[in-house]
Amino acid sequence: MKKIFCAVLASLVSLTFVACGSNSSDKTTTSNSSTSSTSSSSETSSITDNSSAKTPAASAIVEAIKKSYGEDFPHSESIPMNLLNSEFALTEDLYEDVAGEVAMISTNVDRILVVKAKPGKADEVETLLNQAREKRVADTLNYPMNIAKTNASEVVRKGDYLAFILAGKRNADLTPESAEGIAYAKEETQRGVD
């Protein structure tokens, strides 16, 4: 009986991954200063951008940050709109362009979010990103292996562009709470900041 149950459960999990992986291009939201279009449901859509060539697109910045981590950034997907709202409390009235990536494995906390704030809104966006960071640090006890990485996360600002960076390789040989573990995590975060 247990073997049959496990086989059925494994099949359902496999089907779920296959179903979630299809049609991801149909579930995107594009946003820039002139237009904002969403697919049929903003709850299931993902964030991308469609910015002008005059300023860097948020997605290009996300890709550059991901590239700095190379294979150390886990398999990821665009941050879903519901996560953009629930985790970061960002609403469309605050940004012109936004893009992000989040790890597809729940125990992996890696995420990168880049926001181009609307004029006069950068301070508010920065506050919201820092609040999201503080909440994530407080919630780290769910997965103690992520303590150092989460504590090393940063909110970086350059003009109206802001980035939330929580990424980097985890060193299993170091205890996350140790000084060495924390220093290592800070070095890993700095790869994305640079």
Side-chain angles (χ1 to χ4, degrees):
M1 182 70 175
K2 288 182 184 178
K3 289 181 182 180
I4 293 171
F5 178 74
C6 289
V8 170
L9 185 61
S11 298
L12 289 174
V13 169
S14 297
L15 288 173
T16 302
F17 285 128
V18 170
C20 290
S22 64
N23 296 328
S24 62
S25 62
D26 293 339
K27 301 178 188 175
T28 59
T29 300
T30 58
S31 65
N32 66 20
S33 58
S34 60
T35 63
S36 179
S37 62
T38 59
S39 63
S40 61
S41 171
S42 64
E43 289 299 312
T44 59
S45 44
S46 300
I47 57 173
T48 57
D49 70 275
N50 196 10
S51 297
S52 67
K54 294 179 183 176
T55 59
S59 62
I61 298 169
V62 168
E63 288 304 314
I65 294 170
K66 279 178 53 178
K67 187 177 179 180
S68 72
Y69 288 107
E71 292 183 13
D72 293 333
F73 193 79
H75 188 65
S76 61
E77 64 182 355
S78 293
I79 291 180
M81 288 301 293
N82 62 350
L83 186 63
L84 181 69
N85 297 331
S86 66
E87 183 173 336
F88 298 101
L90 293 175
T91 56
E92 291 183 16
D93 63 311
L94 297 173
Y95 59 84
E96 292 181 4
D97 190 15
V98 62
E101 293 282 327
V102 62
M104 293 179 71
I105 301 170
S106 64
T107 59
N108 193 320
V109 294
D110 288 35
R111 59 199 62 222
I112 299 169
L113 178 70
V114 174
V115 180
K116 181 180 182 199
K118 286 187 176 181
K121 299 290 187 176
D123 289 339
E124 187 174 350
V125 170
E126 185 174 23
T127 298
L128 291 171
L129 294 182
N130 278 311
Q131 288 173 347
R133 180 191 175 281
E134 291 166 12
K135 183 178 184 305
R136 183 150 285 280
V137 167
D139 291 343
T140 302
L141 295 179
N142 293 332
Y143 296 107
M145 65 193 171
N146 294 317
I147 290 173
K149 184 188 282 192
T150 304
N151 282 313
S153 64
E154 287 192 40
V155 174
V156 182
R157 180 176 176 180
K158 185 169 183 175
D160 286 338
Y161 284 91
L162 296 104
F164 175 86
I165 302 171
L166 171 54
K169 185 176 176 182
R170 188 177 318 131
N171 187 334
D173 296 332
L174 299 175
T175 306
E177 303 88 3
S178 70
E180 296 85 11
I182 293 168
Y184 180 82
K186 287 181 179 183
E187 290 171 12
E188 285 296 300
T189 299
Q190 193 60 41
R191 289 169 58 187
V193 172
D194 292 341

